[in-house]
Amino acid sequence: MERSDDFSAPRRMSKSAYAIFFVKELRRYISLFLILMLLYVFDPEKHRSFMETMEALLYVSVGYLLLAAVVAFISYYYKKYYIKNGNLIFIYGLFKNETTIPLHKVQSLRTRRGFMYRLFDMKGVSFDTLASKTAEVELILDYKDWNMLLEKIEQQEQVPEEDKQSVEEDVMTKESKSVNDKCILKLSNLNLIKGAFCQNHFKGMVVLLGILFTFYDKILSASDRILNLFIDYVSEHADYTSLSVTVFVMLLLILYVIVMVLWIVKVFMRYYNMEIHMDKAQLFFESGLFTRFSSRFSYDKVCTVYVKQNIIEKYLGCCTVMLKQAFNATEKKDESDVKIYGSNFSGHFLNWWLGKDYASSQTILSAKSGKGVIGYTVRFDIPVSLIVCAVLCYCKLYPWLAIPVAYMLISLVKGVWAARRSSITLKDDYVEIHNGKLADVRNYIKYANVEVACLRQTLFTPFFHRVNLIVSTNGTSFVVRSLKEKEANDVYEYLIGNSRS
């Protein structure tokens, strides 16, 4: 088949793509192959010689390879793509199913380069829109085809005629506020490790508590006899409880360190050598140690910029930044947002998205949360802690009271800080929603990105005249709790009047 460089005629992926499909099918059917091997080798009803066993395994292996080769060939041969009238058209399957994607509707363009991709000098390319939670089109391209296709996409990315005037006005405004035409950010791997460690102590605790609750659930699901024996043993050895607490805490610390190390290794492999390219209209980032991931999306595809700084991050002079896209922007939720750990580049992204004078934008309205946020934050923690304390006192396990008491105090501190931080501020050009518990979190939203704003009363509204304000975009949703009714109404009216403007 003749391969046109302008992508005007249907074309298959390059022949090297077949090797990638073949490897994918081998991985897909490997479990079936192993099960058949185990069933044959460990069949107790048949006694075979070594040569008979090797011959049978050879047949199974050949069948496995042939199955993967045939399925890979079908996947490769019956997939074609081309560009027509500003649309990417993807033809696939025996019955020639067809998917059409307008190029200006592409939410993000992601690539993947694992070991096999690098070996054959290929890229896995995914085109995502908001119409589905999965990638509508996935192609495996060599660098020549990838570069030509990307150039074609950039030439033909356009908007409907009726939206051109408003977009041109938006571009003019954006150009007057943008940073330099092009900016390249290279993130330090040392900062990456530092940021991963700073941010995820509480994630590590969640994982650890999940392991402990699973173990606790197994104990409760045991028979009454085993449970009674366990209780009797604890009662009999109550004199040694202090030693047990010490050992228990040490085991928790060791397990927690292991969880944290595994988490940091995961983050390091995913975001290793991250490089970000920014210009007035596009953002491109690439990262990964063994598998290189990349994503490219437009300036107007971002719905929220999230900046977080906890106590440790503040001390080390770093923060966590996320550029949030729409909910259906990518197949995997953890790939839908650009995450920047450690390096304090929040100013670069806010300059890029809000304009370089965003910091001088005047405050129009603001509303601060009240003490009701404390009650909402501790609504489950305090009752659970008190119940655990009562049970421990009943069993006379007094040294163990330190755990629920410490948890209760931490919960109260979280509640106080959540109430102090929770607020919403309306600026001339954007909305800033301030939240977080032990970490200081600021979310930046443009008025044009606000999809839904609503006020919600609670059971305590008639007594304290406090309400909740909900602000949602197409990719994020925020609840600012316990606002004064009048202030919340003023903010709500202004949001309604300026959204989609």
Side-chain angles (χ1 to χ4, degrees):
M1 177 185 295
E2 183 180 352
R3 295 170 63 83
S4 59
D5 288 344
D6 61 356
F7 297 95
S8 59
R11 55 191 283 158
R12 293 189 182 91
M13 292 168 269
S14 60
K15 294 179 181 178
S16 298
Y18 173 74
I20 307 296
F21 280 109
F22 179 62
V23 172
K24 285 188 173 184
E25 296 304 328
L26 286 177
R27 294 176 58 184
R28 180 180 177 186
Y29 295 108
I30 185 65
S31 58
L32 176 62
F33 170 65
L34 293 176
I35 290 172
L36 291 175
M37 285 185 60
L38 292 173
L39 290 177
Y40 183 84
V41 172
F42 296 102
D43 187 354
E45 297 181 357
K46 296 183 179 180
H47 300 281
R48 302 181 180 88
S49 65
F50 177 78
M51 292 304 298
E52 289 176 335
T53 301
M54 290 297 101
E55 182 180 0
L57 292 179
L58 177 62
Y59 289 147
V60 174
S61 300
V62 170
Y64 165 60
L65 294 174
L66 286 176
L67 175 62
V70 171
V71 175
F73 178 78
I74 294 173
S75 298
Y76 165 78
Y77 188 79
Y78 290 99
K79 286 182 178 177
K80 299 179 182 179
Y81 66 99
Y82 65 102
I83 293 176
K84 181 179 179 182
N85 298 328
N87 298 318
L88 175 66
I89 300 174
F90 185 52
I91 303 170
Y92 60 97
L94 295 173
F95 300 102
K96 296 185 177 180
N97 300 315
E98 189 173 293
T99 296
T100 301
I101 300 178
L103 294 180
H104 70 275
K105 294 292 186 181
V106 174
Q107 174 75 18
S108 61
L109 185 61
R110 296 179 291 122
T111 68
R112 176 187 178 91
R113 288 199 73 211
F115 173 76
M116 293 303 300
Y117 292 88
R118 293 185 184 184
L119 184 63
F120 293 98
D121 204 24
M122 306 287 288
K123 274 193 175 186
V125 185
S126 299
F127 298 80
D128 301 298
T129 72
L130 299 183
S132 172
K133 292 183 179 179
T134 59
E136 275 78 4
V137 173
E138 293 180 306
L139 302 175
I140 300 174
L141 306 176
D142 58 29
Y143 269 82
K144 180 181 177 182
D145 284 350
W146 159 248
N147 290 327
M148 289 191 302
L149 179 60
L150 182 59
E151 182 179 353
K152 191 69 175 177
I153 290 173
E154 289 176 343
Q155 290 174 355
Q156 298 199 28
E157 280 180 333
Q158 52 187 329
V159 295
E161 292 292 331
E162 59 270 18
D163 292 340
K164 281 187 176 179
Q165 183 177 355
S166 61
V167 170
E168 287 173 358
E169 293 174 356
D170 183 60
V171 169
M172 290 177 63
T173 303
K174 189 169 54 177
E175 288 180 351
S176 66
K177 295 184 177 182
S178 292
V179 294
N180 296 331
D181 289 350
K182 198 162 190 179
C183 177
I184 299 178
L185 304 176
K186 293 184 178 180
L187 278 67
S188 164
N189 292 321
L190 179 60
N191 284 347
L192 173 64
I193 296 174
K194 180 175 67 174
F197 174 78
C198 289
Q199 152 157 340
N200 290 286
H201 281 284
F202 294 102
K203 181 173 287 189
M205 289 181 184
V206 170
V207 174
L208 182 56
L209 289 174
I211 296 172
L212 294 176
F213 280 126
T214 301
F215 176 72
Y216 178 71
D217 182 65
K218 294 296 183 182
I219 293 177
L220 291 183
S221 61
S223 65
D224 292 339
R225 174 180 169 79
I226 296 176
L227 192 59
N228 289 332
L229 288 173
F230 176 76
I231 294 174
D232 292 341
Y233 176 83
V234 172
S235 300
E236 183 178 351
H237 295 81
D239 294 337
Y240 304 97
T241 303
S242 58
L243 179 61
S244 300
V245 171
T246 304
V247 174
F248 180 75
V249 171
M250 291 179 62
L251 290 175
L252 282 183
L253 290 175
I254 293 172
L255 184 57
Y256 177 70
V257 169
I258 293 173
V259 170
M260 285 300 303
V261 169
L262 291 176
W263 165 254
I264 291 174
V265 169
K266 176 184 176 182
V267 171
F268 184 79
M269 292 175 61
R270 176 63 178 82
Y271 297 102
Y272 173 80
N273 273 2
M274 176 177 277
E275 187 171 302
I276 303 170
H277 297 252
M278 307 168 67
D279 58 32
K280 293 178 181 177
Q282 301 285 342
L283 185 145
F284 171 86
F285 76 99
E286 184 177 28
S287 65
L289 180 58
F290 299 111
T291 300
R292 294 295 289 179
F293 300 91
S294 76
S295 182
R296 167 189 175 273
F297 53 88
S298 300
Y299 166 93
D300 57 354
K301 304 302 183 184
V302 178
C303 64
T304 303
V305 175
Y306 162 104
V307 180
K308 180 187 74 68
Q309 192 175 51
N310 60 30
I311 298 172
I312 305 176
E313 286 174 319
K314 187 174 182 180
Y315 176 77
L316 296 178
C318 61
C319 69
T320 300
V321 182
M322 280 194 283
L323 305 185
K324 293 179 174 288
Q325 299 184 68
F327 285 124
N328 288 354
T330 58
E331 179 178 0
K332 297 180 181 179
K333 183 59 185 171
D334 60 353
E335 294 181 5
S336 65
D337 304 325
V338 181
K339 298 185 180 76
I340 313 296
Y341 293 116
S343 299
N344 194 352
F345 286 133
S346 59
H348 289 79
F349 293 106
L350 292 172
N351 283 340
W352 174 73
W353 196 54
L354 297 175
K356 62 183 180 181
D357 58 346
Y358 81 93
S360 60
S361 185
Q362 297 297 314
T363 299
I364 300 171
L365 289 170
S366 65
K368 183 80 173 60
S369 295
K371 296 179 181 178
V373 176
I374 300 177
Y376 180 83
T377 304
V378 304
R379 68 193 187 282
F380 296 124
D381 297 343
I382 299 301
V384 168
S385 300
L386 291 175
I387 292 172
V388 172
C389 287
V391 172
L392 292 175
C393 289
Y394 178 79
C395 297
K396 298 182 179 179
L397 301 175
Y398 301 112
W400 292 86
L401 289 172
I403 295 177
V405 169
Y407 181 77
M408 190 186 310
L409 293 175
I410 293 173
S411 180
L412 286 171
V413 171
K414 286 195 304 181
V416 172
W417 278 106
R420 291 183 62 179
R421 290 193 169 108
S422 182
S423 65
I424 180 170
T425 303
L426 305 185
K427 301 278 189 175
D428 280 332
D429 304 311
Y430 60 91
V431 181
E432 180 182 332
I433 297 178
H434 193 189
N435 56 19
K437 297 173 184 174
L438 296 180
D440 182 16
V441 179
R442 297 177 185 271
N443 301 276
Y444 299 86
I445 306 170
K446 293 181 180 179
Y447 290 106
N449 291 122
V450 176
E451 298 277 352
V452 177
C454 65
L455 291 175
R456 182 172 297 172
Q457 296 188 351
T458 68
L459 294 174
F460 304 100
T461 299
F463 307 101
F464 302 103
H465 303 287
R466 297 270 181 172
V467 296
N468 297 337
L469 175 65
I470 302 172
V471 181
S472 300
T473 71
N474 60 4
T476 49
S477 185
F478 305 96
V479 182
V480 189
R481 303 182 183 279
S482 190
L483 298 175
K484 290 182 180 179
E485 202 165 9
K486 183 181 183 308
E487 292 180 355
N489 273 304
D490 292 340
V491 171
Y492 170 76
E493 294 293 339
Y494 192 87
L495 282 175
I496 293 299
N498 286 271
S499 63
R500 290 298 169 191
S501 58

